[in-house]
Amino acid sequence: MRVRSAEAIARAIRENWLHNRVNFYFFTDDNFARNPQWERIFDALILLREEEKIDVRFMMQVDVLSYKIRDFVSKARRAGCTQVFIGMESINPESLKDAGKGQNKASDYSNLISAWHNAQVATHVGYILGFPHDTEESIRKDLQRLMQEIQVEQASFFILTPLPGSRDHFEMARKAEYMDPDYNKYDSIHETTNFPNFPVPGSLKQLYYEAWETFYSFDNMKRVLSRASARNYWDIMRNYIWYKNAAILERRHPMMAGFFRRKSRQAMRSGVPVPGRWEFLKGRTREIRIYLKGVVKLLWEAQELWLHTRPRTAAEQRLVQEMGRIYGLVERRLTVSELHLAYQRAKSQLPTLEIPSKFSLYWQKWNLFYANRRVFTRTDINENWQRIVDRVRQYRFPWISPIRFFATLWFDVQITTMFAYAFLQSHDRNPELGLNN
């Protein structure tokens, strides 16, 4: 096992911070918990953070039993660890045996995840579909446990693939079992062999995409972000945007995709004919139109997630509690005028609980929408846009109200600006070190 010394790592991090302001790292040891120098490395990073005020943060790969090592979790947190990647592979005990990971106990996963959650470190698990004991029913059941019982924040899904050089590939080749001869498909998102419990070709791949869509559904992301610590909130949000773009829009694994895939007409692999210019242009234009439509929906969903789960100020929390109390006192639906009056009364009772920044003062001065009411959803805005789009498609242009159009545009610009400001601001702040770069 090859490792760098703690001194070499600290020196490289210090130089990167001083010259390029680089502050985030991924320690790619297959299992950092088994690095014989893990404690010395953590101690060196703790000194950099606490004495030299260098805002170093990192993620690392660990095994399922790492949380049982004395001081490992607590020191990782102090050293700047914000996320751990865990090769969980499966929570089906029989599938764990199939994977040769008998040391992983599915019953211990909840304790593992809780240990990292208590340290405010986000968890990201690798999960494989297609073991011999996996069925359509068992995968769906295990996925629900993964989300609701074990409560991991992020997951990366893979289809079991006999990679050349692996034991699986060697055994299957020895037994002359079928393996796809096209190595371009050996990327863990294609079916490259037969799966007895999935006799219909493509059925496992369909379930694979269903797993992505289920785990990264709005409801599950909302659950995760609602309980996430402020320390990890935006890291998780950024990964959600990245992962949904890759797995849902691009239909690629997130670890092999970025945003807006570039394609060249000439860049075709061997054996595939190069399309004509007009054919390529038509196909690519259609792809881009569908992709951009998906990106808009994705950004709207991210804004909706933020509005539902963003950390509330003390004033907002007091206001929500007051409104809830008022609702509890009546046995009927309140009228608009009664709601407005109740809101104003609740608002008038709120003390000044925070000192706004210069930006906030300027924002509230010119922004009547933001100053007069807090926003917790963009549902009305989305419905207005859909109404406008429907009338455009029906060529009913006279029925589009200019007032509604510009009001919807104005509200959308404001929410988008608020979200973008919060998103960009999250990159430069680390309250743990008192840094605001």
Side-chain angles (χ1 to χ4, degrees):
M1 189 173 182
R2 296 178 300 166
V3 299
R4 291 189 184 185
S5 68
E7 293 75 17
I9 292 175
R11 181 168 58 252
I13 289 174
R14 185 183 294 109
E15 291 176 357
N16 289 338
W17 173 258
L18 292 176
H19 297 300
N20 301 306
R21 259 349 191 216
V22 174
N23 71 329
F24 188 83
Y25 296 85
F26 180 12
F27 294 158
T28 57
D29 308 54
D30 279 344
N31 186 355
F32 195 84
R34 306 306 163 189
N35 185 323
Q37 297 200 47
W38 70 262
E39 190 164 22
R40 292 186 60 195
I41 294 171
F42 283 169
D43 287 340
L45 298 181
I46 290 170
L47 288 176
L48 289 177
R49 287 172 59 83
E50 298 182 358
E51 294 189 4
E52 299 184 37
K53 300 300 180 183
I54 295 178
D55 183 23
V56 57
R57 310 176 205 180
F58 65 92
M59 69 174 291
M60 61 180 176
Q61 299 178 117
V62 297
D63 63 23
V64 169
L65 301 177
S66 59
Y67 81 102
K68 293 186 177 182
I69 301 174
R70 183 179 179 182
D71 295 333
F72 185 79
V73 174
S74 59
K75 284 202 170 186
R77 198 252 191 248
R78 285 183 62 196
C81 182
T82 60
Q83 182 180 154
V84 290
F85 185 90
I86 304 165
M88 187 173 285
E89 319 308 4
S90 178
I91 60 175
N92 184 327
E94 296 301 322
S95 294
L96 289 173
K97 292 179 183 177
D98 295 334
K101 289 203 170 185
Q103 75 276 13
N104 289 11
K105 303 299 181 184
S107 58
D108 198 39
Y109 283 155
S110 295
N111 295 330
L112 159 73
I113 300 302
S114 293
W116 290 107
H117 283 180
N118 292 337
Q120 295 185 329
V121 175
T123 54
H124 188 153
V125 301
Y127 203 90
I128 298 176
L129 310 179
F131 287 114
H133 289 87
D134 282 345
T135 65
E136 188 172 321
E137 181 182 359
S138 72
I139 288 176
R140 289 196 177 108
K141 181 179 177 181
D142 291 343
L143 186 58
Q144 291 301 317
R145 281 191 60 205
L146 189 69
M147 295 187 297
Q148 299 181 19
E149 180 184 331
I150 300 176
Q151 298 185 349
V152 299
E153 287 93 342
Q154 298 162 73
S156 288
F157 299 99
F158 305 86
I159 293 177
L160 185 64
T161 304
L163 296 173
S166 68
R167 187 181 66 183
D168 285 346
H169 187 275
F170 176 79
E171 291 294 333
M172 293 179 69
R174 185 175 64 84
K175 296 177 182 178
E177 295 183 18
Y178 170 77
M179 291 183 286
D180 197 309
D182 185 358
Y183 284 141
N184 288 287
K185 297 179 181 178
Y186 283 62
D187 53 7
S188 297
I189 66 173
H190 289 88
E191 297 178 11
T192 55
T193 186
N194 295 324
F195 298 91
N197 292 332
F198 299 88
V200 179
S203 58
L204 179 58
K205 186 173 182 178
Q206 184 177 350
L207 189 61
Y208 164 81
Y209 283 120
E210 181 184 318
W212 283 106
E213 292 168 359
T214 300
F215 190 90
Y216 291 94
S217 64
F218 182 86
D219 289 340
N220 189 53
M221 292 190 296
K222 180 181 174 181
R223 277 195 297 267
V224 171
L225 288 171
S226 295
R227 61 176 179 255
S229 67
R231 182 176 188 257
N232 300 316
Y233 180 90
W234 282 106
D235 287 340
I236 297 173
M237 175 70 83
R238 279 190 287 269
N239 276 358
Y240 280 171
I241 296 173
W242 167 25
Y243 271 48
K244 289 209 71 168
N245 170 77
I248 309 302
L249 299 184
E250 292 278 11
R251 290 293 188 179
R252 304 290 297 170
H253 197 282
M255 296 179 185
M256 298 186 293
F259 289 88
F260 195 79
R261 187 179 179 191
R262 291 167 52 189
K263 289 186 178 181
S264 170
R265 186 176 67 89
Q266 300 288 343
M268 308 299 291
R269 67 187 176 105
S270 178
V272 178
V274 176
R277 288 184 173 83
W278 178 242
E279 179 187 357
F280 177 79
L281 179 62
K282 286 195 302 182
R284 188 60 180 143
T285 300
R286 179 177 176 275
E287 286 180 356
I288 292 175
R289 185 179 71 252
I290 294 173
Y291 175 74
L292 292 180
K293 182 179 179 180
V295 167
V296 170
K297 290 184 177 179
L298 174 59
L299 295 178
W300 282 0
E301 183 180 57
Q303 291 176 20
E304 185 75 357
L305 268 176
W306 174 67
L307 291 170
H308 278 260
T309 62
R310 63 191 172 94
R312 309 297 182 199
T313 64
E316 286 179 304
Q317 293 175 13
R318 175 73 178 278
L319 180 58
V320 171
Q321 292 171 1
E322 182 66 19
M323 294 299 290
R325 184 186 69 80
I326 293 170
Y327 269 113
L329 293 177
V330 298
E331 298 179 353
R332 58 180 175 80
R333 291 176 63 90
L334 296 176
T335 65
V336 174
S337 59
E338 288 174 325
L339 275 174
H340 181 73
L341 180 60
Y343 175 86
Q344 294 300 328
R345 286 177 177 172
K347 184 178 177 182
S348 66
Q349 295 174 11
L350 294 175
T352 303
L353 297 173
E354 56 186 12
I355 301 175
S357 64
K358 291 182 179 179
F359 178 86
S360 297
L361 290 173
Y362 178 73
W363 177 264
Q364 294 183 24
K365 182 177 180 180
W366 65 267
N367 186 352
L368 299 177
F369 175 65
Y370 183 77
N372 289 325
R373 57 174 173 156
R374 297 290 186 175
V375 185
F376 298 96
T377 180
R378 55 170 295 131
T379 300
D380 291 341
I381 295 175
N382 292 351
E383 289 177 353
N384 283 340
W385 281 130
Q386 188 60 54
R387 199 174 293 118
I388 292 170
V389 169
D390 289 343
R391 290 176 181 175
V392 169
R393 286 175 175 171
Q394 298 167 7
Y395 300 103
R396 299 172 62 189
F397 299 104
W399 281 267
I400 299 176
S401 167
I403 295 177
R404 180 186 293 275
F405 174 83
F406 286 109
T408 302
L409 178 63
W410 174 233
F411 292 160
D412 203 342
V413 167
Q414 291 181 82
I415 289 182
T416 301
T417 303
M418 289 161 57
F419 176 74
Y421 175 72
F423 184 89
L424 295 173
Q425 193 180 43
S426 68
H427 283 273
D428 298 328
R429 281 188 173 180
N430 186 352
E432 293 180 307
L433 299 180
L435 295 176
N436 189 6
N437 304 320

